[in-house]
Each structure stands twice: as C-alpha cells, then as structure tokens.
Amino acid sequence: MKISTYFYFLMLVCLTACQQQTQQTKLTTKDNKPNIIIFYADDMGYGDLAIQNPQSKIPTPNLDQLAREGLLMTDAHSSSGVCTPSRYALLSGRYHWRDFNDIVHAMGESVFKENQVTLPRILKNNGYHTAAIGKWHLGWNWESIRKKEITEKIKAKHGKRDVEIWPAQAYDWDQPIPNGPLSIGFDSYFGDGTINFPPYTWIENDKVTEAPTITLEHPKEDFALEGNWELRPGPAIKGWDFYNVLPTVTRSAVSFIKKQEKAEKPFFLYLPFPSPHAPIIPNEAFRGKSKAGPYGDFVYQTDDAIGQVLEALKSIDAEENTIVIFTSDNGSERYAYDRIKNYNHDSSRPFRGVKRDVYEGGHHVPFIVKWPNKIKSGTKSTQLFSQIDILNTLASITNSELPKGFQHDSYNFSKLWLKENNKVVRANIIHNTFTPKYAVRKGYWLYINNKNGYHARIPEWFEEGQRFATAKDTVQLFNLKDDIGQTTNLASQFPKKVKELATVLLKEQETETFKN
C-alpha cells in the first residue's frame, strides 16, 4: 500500500508538472510575441491630425490619444505619393521604384513576384495568424477567371472619356482569384478591393461573396459630398452602397479582434482603410463633426473607426501586448487646395505639395506607434523614418527570421522604439512617385532632380498666395530646418550639396539590394 500510494503521488506530481509546463509553453509562445495592428489611412495628410497641427479644423481624439500613449515620429514618410507603391513598399520592405512606379489600375495584375519576401509571410512563418481587412489595391490575377469565350468588350463612361471594359458576365465569379492577399502570406482577407475600382462587391479570402451582374458607371445621379466620385467603371452587384464600405470594414475588424480572445497564436492585422480617399462620403452620423467640410468629417469617421478597434482590443484584455501602428499611404488628395480656401484647413501643413508630388506634402505622413510598457508614452522622434522600415523593425522585435541581404532598404528602428536610442538609424531616403522625378532627403537637406516637384498644376490662386520663389535652376535644393515649407530654392547657392545628393541618388538607383 505504501509503495502504491507513493507511486500514485509521484504520478500526480509528474502530471501536474507536465500540465503546468504545457500551459507555460503556450503562454510563453503567445506572450513573447506581441500582437500587431497596422492602421493604414488612405490619403490622410500630416496636417489633418490635431496633435500635429494646432490649426487643424478636424477633431482626431483617438489618434491624439494614441500619440499621447505612444511614440510620435514627426519625420516619417511613405515610399510614394500614391496608393499602390506605398502599400507594396510597406509590405515588402523594399523601395517601390526598384520595381515599378504606377498604381494598379482597375482589374489589374498583382505587383508582387512569386514567393516574394513580405511582412505577413515573415510573421506567418514565425507563428502569427495574419489577416488583412480593407483596401487591397495591390492586384489580383483577374484574367485567370475571365471566360475566354466572351471576346467583345463593352463601352462605358469614365468621367468624360469613353472606355472599353469587360462586362460582369465575362468572369467566372465562382472561381478563386489567384495572386491576392493570400498569395503573399495573409491567412485571411476581407474587403472590397479598392473603393473606387471594380469589382464592386465584397471579397472574402480569394472569392467574391456575391457575383457581380451589372456594369457600374456611376453610383448615383448626385455628386460625392466633396470632390468627385473618382470611380472606374466595371462589374458590380446590384444595389452596391459605397456609404456602407467604411462601416463594414470597421465591423469586420472589430469582429476579428474579438475572435482573438481565446486564440493560441498571436495575430497580425493589416487594416488599410478606404478613407478619407475619394469618394469623400462620411456617413450621416459624422457629418458636421468637423469644421473642414465633408473631408474633415470623413477623417473624423476614420478616427472613430480606429477607436472602435482599439476598444475591441481592450475588451479582450490584449492592449498591453499589442503593437499598434498608425500611418497613411501618402498625402492628401488635390481637393486639399479648395479646403484651404473654403475652410482654412491645410491637410499638408506645414509642408508644400499634396498627393502625387515629390514635395514633402506628397509623402511626409503621420506615424504613431504604441506598445504599453515597452515604448515610452508621450515621446517624439525627429529621426528620418520610412514605412519600408516597418518590416525590419517588426521582424527584429518579434525575433522573426529575415533572409540574408534584406536589410539595405528596410532599417531596424527597434532600439529607437524600445530603448529611446537616439543614434541615427537611416542616413537618407529616396522619394519618388512617377518617373523621372526623384527627391533625396539627407538630414535637413532635400534635393529634387527636377525644377518642378509637382505632378499636376496647382491652382493659380494658391500659387500666387503662397508666393513661392520662381524656379530658375534645373534642380531644387531646400534646407528644411530653415524652410520647412520649401519656398526657396538654394540649388545655385550650394552646388557642392547638390552634387553630393545627386550622387547619393545615383548610387541608390544603381544598387540592386535583394533578389528573390
């Protein structure tokens, strides 16, 4: 009996120890890997955030609070001044201009190479559940589901132009669509692709949830609340409601977060919003909430959506172990000029330029990162930072494996984030939107290899009011320390600095940093 009792007791101790070890292993696996959320606004300018622009006419309470609780990087940049390239650069950790410059157009192909290294793939290989919800705009292989027996396109209106497109009936909507989010490392996707591009239907993972049956040219007889609809014609479902896109994306993100409460894996949520990109269509409950017109109300609604997701994070008690990042894909759309006149609100303040420009207003974007008890709250950094650096930094923090030779374009800012190390991490950034205009930032100096940093003409009233110095040189040079608004070209006064930065640009352009 004594031996039997002793044996039973010994087995009980061993079983208890094994159970505790198993529980500790599970907890350690999840607790040592922080969850990650990247909020990616669309066409939101640096000057739209109240915490960065005291003259902003838009309340952004959730983003202001996020900045007060985290780190505000005041010299952060998207890779491009337009949507697709910036998203590609963020997810690949690679300058977009090494591969392409333009956006993915309606029903366009994927910009990613097969088996390309991406942030979601890196995190997935390290045990993360990876999800993308919202705007994709990086392409799918739509051609693979097109019915080849249908050989004639139909005519449609795109603004004042006549275009030819494939009708809804030209696609086999029951088939999975290759080369989308799942092909680059995301476990799941939900969204509408791109709010102003077809197909106008919801996509879950790699299939549409409802097959388009009509061709949409214009959603309504009225106008968008500000600017234009900016819609490309194409396949759509009947009754597609553009006003329902942002609320549905928000609800989907909140639902995803709440489902992670009992998940064994840490999660990575990439949440690219469709807003405040055109069509500028804030829901009725948010109209009049800002003093910057419908656009300001749309920014306010985006801020509210972020607040809803953060509340969901608190509700599952995951706030402490989640890295939250907020930024934007580029500067505000050209409608920003009219807001200066109509509402005295400058989305680019204090910079020159808007979306598409290589001036700072095109790509100098808001950037906030929060991780309670790891990143000191209420801090600011003036270091030069690119969204390309997110990949290397998160890979370092999560102890994820990076392929050899990948570190050139994407720099590791983990020491700055976690230890407030002020050692300079990135010496320069190459800015580009469309060929052949490039800009180089090095310290306070900004060099543009063209006499004009705009992509399109700015309003005459704005140009006259700002009184920018007339560009006489073939290139431009600015000292942002003394001239943050880029008003005075110093190229003729500092030829050695021009030559130095032109050499930096050429060297970067000639250096291929990583081949898959």
Side-chain angles (χ1 to χ4, degrees):
M1 286 292 294
K2 288 183 178 180
I3 294 176
S4 179
T5 303
Y6 175 77
F7 181 76
Y8 173 78
F9 177 75
L10 183 63
M11 288 294 292
L12 185 64
V13 170
C14 289
L15 284 170
T16 303
C18 287
Q19 287 176 347
Q20 289 177 344
Q21 187 176 12
T22 301
Q23 291 173 356
Q24 287 173 354
T25 300
K26 285 183 178 179
L27 288 171
T28 300
T29 299
K30 188 173 181 181
D31 286 355
N32 283 353
K33 295 176 184 176
N35 304 311
I36 301 165
I37 300 175
I38 297 179
F39 294 115
Y40 209 40
D42 197 350
D43 292 4
M44 187 182 292
Y46 184 93
D48 289 330
L49 268 66
I51 199 166
Q52 293 184 153
N53 178 15
Q55 297 182 38
S56 172
K57 299 295 191 296
I58 307 171
T60 50
N62 293 295
L63 289 173
D64 293 351
Q65 184 64 24
L66 190 69
R68 285 190 289 268
E69 294 174 349
L71 168 66
L72 182 64
M73 302 196 76
T74 59
D75 204 352
H77 300 261
S78 56
S79 183
S80 170
V82 290
C83 303
T84 298
S86 292
R87 294 158 200 274
Y88 172 81
L90 186 155
L91 293 174
S92 68
R94 175 178 171 85
Y95 277 128
H96 71 277
W97 48 261
R98 297 194 186 280
D99 303 313
F100 65 94
N101 302 83
D102 204 359
I103 64 169
V104 170
H105 293 277
M107 309 296 284
E109 265 286 355
S110 172
V111 294
F112 290 99
K113 305 178 188 73
E114 188 175 359
N115 299 318
Q116 183 168 351
V117 175
T118 64
L119 178 58
R121 182 168 282 134
I122 287 169
L123 294 174
K124 183 176 181 177
N125 290 341
N126 194 19
Y128 275 78
H129 175 66
T130 57
I133 298 173
K135 177 174 177 174
W136 182 236
H137 206 182
L138 290 161
W140 271 277
N141 183 4
W142 298 105
E143 186 65 18
S144 70
I145 69 166
R146 190 174 64 79
K147 299 174 183 177
K148 302 305 184 284
E149 63 270 24
I150 297 179
T151 58
E152 291 189 10
K153 292 184 176 181
I154 61 173
K155 291 184 178 180
K157 284 284 186 182
H158 179 206
K160 296 181 180 180
R161 293 187 294 117
D162 290 320
V163 295
E164 289 189 340
I165 62 171
W166 292 111
Q169 290 72 24
Y171 296 91
D172 184 354
W173 300 108
D174 291 329
Q175 295 299 313
I177 313 150
N179 298 355
L182 304 192
S183 70
I184 69 158
F186 284 109
D187 291 311
S188 62
Y189 170 76
F190 178 80
D192 68 324
T194 304
I195 190 170
N196 58 320
F197 284 11
Y200 299 108
T201 184
W202 293 108
I203 302 171
E204 188 166 5
N205 296 328
D206 57 359
K207 296 182 73 174
V208 299
T209 60
E210 183 180 349
T213 57
I214 64 171
T215 298
L216 182 68
E217 296 186 38
H218 197 281
K220 293 181 179 181
E221 293 181 356
D222 60 354
F223 293 95
L225 299 180
E226 180 178 327
N228 298 315
W229 278 102
E230 302 289 342
L231 299 178
R232 274 60 166 182
I237 63 172
K238 291 182 179 179
W240 178 254
D241 186 0
F242 289 85
Y243 285 90
N244 196 37
V245 173
L246 179 53
T248 302
V249 166
T250 304
R251 285 193 299 269
S252 179
V254 168
S255 176
F256 172 84
I257 294 293
K258 290 184 176 179
K259 288 177 181 177
Q260 305 310 305
E261 184 171 13
K262 297 181 181 179
E264 294 186 3
K265 289 183 176 183
F267 68 83
F268 164 51
L269 173 60
Y270 170 60
L271 182 50
F273 288 107
S275 56
H277 188 286
I280 298 169
I281 45 174
N283 291 103
E284 194 169 348
F286 297 93
R287 296 174 195 174
K289 297 296 185 181
S290 77
K291 294 181 180 179
Y295 172 85
D297 300 340
F298 212 21
V299 171
Y300 180 78
Q301 184 174 353
T302 307
D303 180 87
D304 180 81
I306 290 168
Q308 291 182 50
V309 176
L310 294 177
E311 277 300 314
L313 193 66
K314 289 181 182 179
S315 73
I316 65 168
D317 198 26
E319 183 183 23
E320 293 295 311
N321 196 38
T322 301
I323 298 173
V324 175
I325 293 172
F326 168 80
T327 187
S328 177
D329 63 346
N330 45 249
S332 188
E333 182 57 272
R334 62 187 184 280
Y335 308 129
Y337 290 120
D338 286 336
R339 284 194 296 278
I340 296 174
K341 184 196 300 185
N342 297 332
Y343 303 103
N344 194 27
H345 173 81
D346 186 353
S347 290
S348 297
R349 190 179 181 87
F351 309 120
R352 182 180 186 178
V354 293
K355 178 179 179 178
R356 301 177 187 87
D357 299 334
V358 291
Y359 290 125
E360 291 286 288
H363 49 77
H364 197 141
V365 292
F367 192 94
I368 304 168
V369 56
K370 173 190 172 183
W371 190 11
N373 302 316
K374 298 293 193 305
I375 295 174
K376 188 176 179 181
S377 62
T379 51
K380 288 186 181 181
S381 172
T382 58
Q383 281 219 30
L384 199 58
F385 178 83
S386 172
Q387 291 173 357
I388 304 170
D389 303 323
I390 292 173
L391 185 146
N392 198 339
T393 304
L394 291 180
S396 174
I397 290 174
T398 59
N399 294 312
S400 299
E401 187 175 347
L402 278 176
K404 187 178 180 181
F406 197 79
Q407 287 80 5
H408 180 85
D409 279 356
S410 183
Y411 286 79
N412 181 4
F413 277 75
S414 60
K415 289 184 179 179
L416 184 146
W417 287 10
L418 303 177
K419 299 179 181 179
E420 297 181 82
N421 187 328
N422 290 321
K423 183 179 179 181
V424 174
V425 181
R426 172 181 278 281
N428 61 66
I429 292 181
I430 310 300
H431 302 306
N432 161 266
T433 301
F434 297 111
T435 302
K437 292 182 183 180
Y438 285 81
V440 179
R441 267 292 305 279
K442 186 175 181 181
Y444 290 111
W445 289 101
L446 173 69
Y447 161 76
I448 298 175
N449 70 342
N450 195 287
K451 65 179 181 180
N452 181 7
Y454 295 112
H455 178 68
R457 292 182 179 179
I458 63 173
E460 290 186 7
W461 65 265
F462 181 80
E463 189 169 14
E464 292 172 357
Q466 293 295 311
R467 301 184 184 280
F468 293 128
T470 302
K472 296 180 180 179
D473 299 291
T474 57
V475 298
Q476 297 178 75
L477 180 73
F478 302 98
N479 185 332
L480 299 186
K481 185 176 182 180
D482 302 323
D483 183 22
I484 195 68
Q486 300 172 265
T487 61
T488 306
N489 185 7
L490 302 174
S492 59
Q493 298 180 40
F494 297 92
K496 289 184 179 180
K497 181 60 68 173
V498 168
K499 185 177 180 180
E500 174 194 338
L501 297 182
T503 302
V504 170
L505 173 60
L506 183 62
K507 184 178 179 181
E508 285 286 359
Q509 289 175 323
E510 292 178 343
T511 303
E512 173 52 61
T513 60
F514 187 81
K515 292 183 179 180
N516 292 302

